[in-house]
Amino acid sequence: MSDQLTLGLIGSGNIGGALARLAVDAGLDVVLSNSRGPDTLAGLVADLGPRARAATPSEAAAAADWVVVAVPLKHQRQIPVAPLAGKVVLDTTNYYPERDGSIAELDAEKVTTSELLQQHLTDSKVVKAFNNIWVNHLASMARPAGAPDRSVLPIAGDAPDAKAAATRLIDLLGYDTLDTGSLADSWRFQRDTPAYVGLYFKDQREMTAEDPGGTVTAEELRAALAAARRPNA
């Protein structure tokens, strides 16, 4: 890695934009991309300031020390493969059949969404991250290292060095991490599990848009992960 670290984003919607802001605030350079071309990101780049620039997905991948994939699952196969070879790729995707269409392997619980991405990016090291927290809370709940109200986010991956790199990034962005195991284990914090989204609401009964978020400790996250059950198990 160079002295000046760079986060690349493939997908610059709500999640990508929130992560870009956290990265800029942490002193990282950011290269944003989407499927519609760099010109469509001019407003977001201007808002983020001089540390941010827009590029193509391949250029964002090539420039980055870490790459975050934040695109709908149905577009996963459009992610460039060659520029991501050897890179740590953080996967934020969730499976929504009503949006993505039915995917038989996921419906049968034979694989996880991140395992599908790893199958596509054969020479990359995929780490599941950032998929289980509402984007507003992701943006607002970041805290400095050691803060008493700092929250924990889960990660999963098959390569220990990639998980260490992801942990470093997430620490810079304002969160502690909990290693939950392999990509095959990442179902424990996918959609509709106890560790998914609602855990980070301060009021978990109402869960309104005005909710400021509530601190989640490692112990609370472990308990939510342990409570996860697969519907077809």
Side-chain angles (χ1 to χ4, degrees):
M1 292 185 180
S2 63
D3 290 340
Q4 180 54 49
L5 298 171
T6 300
L7 176 65
L9 290 151
I10 297 178
S12 299
N14 292 336
I15 293 289
L19 290 171
R21 170 57 64 191
L22 292 177
V24 166
D25 289 347
L28 303 178
D29 286 344
V30 175
V31 184
L32 301 111
S33 70
N34 62 16
S35 61
R36 295 176 293 126
D39 290 348
T40 65
L41 295 168
L44 179 56
V45 168
D47 182 58
L48 290 169
R51 288 195 177 277
R53 65 182 177 91
T56 67
S58 292
E59 290 167 342
D65 297 294
W66 306 272
V67 179
V68 171
V69 167
V71 300
L73 181 62
K74 63 182 178 180
H75 298 317
Q76 203 175 69
R77 291 288 169 177
Q78 298 174 21
I79 296 167
V81 176
L84 288 168
K87 300 277 185 174
V88 174
V89 178
L90 285 78
D91 172 34
T92 73
T93 56
N94 288 301
Y95 176 39
Y96 293 90
E98 62 273 23
R99 177 197 66 189
D100 302 314
S102 179
I103 300 173
E105 290 176 287
L106 294 176
D107 292 338
E109 298 173 351
K110 293 181 178 178
V111 296
T112 62
T113 56
S114 292
E115 286 181 299
L116 288 180
L117 182 59
Q118 184 66 80
Q119 290 171 13
H120 176 60
L121 301 176
T122 54
D123 295 322
S124 304
K125 296 179 179 181
V126 173
V127 178
K128 190 71 171 185
F130 302 123
N131 70 298
N132 76 315
I133 184 170
W134 184 37
V135 63
N136 289 21
H137 288 161
L138 177 64
S140 67
M141 290 173 60
R143 298 290 187 273
D149 59 344
R150 199 183 213 214
S151 285
V152 180
L153 296 177
I155 61 170
D158 295 337
D161 59 332
K163 288 192 281 189
T167 295
R168 184 184 181 196
L169 172 64
I170 294 167
D171 176 54
L172 290 170
L173 299 186
Y175 292 89
D176 291 338
T177 55
L178 179 65
D179 183 350
T180 69
S182 68
L183 293 178
D185 298 317
S186 63
W187 68 270
R188 290 190 175 276
F189 53 99
Q190 68 186 13
R191 181 186 180 188
D192 297 331
T193 61
Y196 184 79
V197 177
L199 184 65
Y200 294 86
F201 276 75
K202 186 173 183 178
D203 186 344
Q204 296 181 15
R205 294 171 299 178
E206 295 293 333
M207 292 196 290
T208 66
E210 293 74 31
D211 188 283
T215 303
V216 174
T217 66
E219 291 73 19
E220 289 168 332
L221 180 54
R222 285 191 187 96
L225 294 165
R229 298 290 183 271
R230 287 185 129 163
N232 296 329

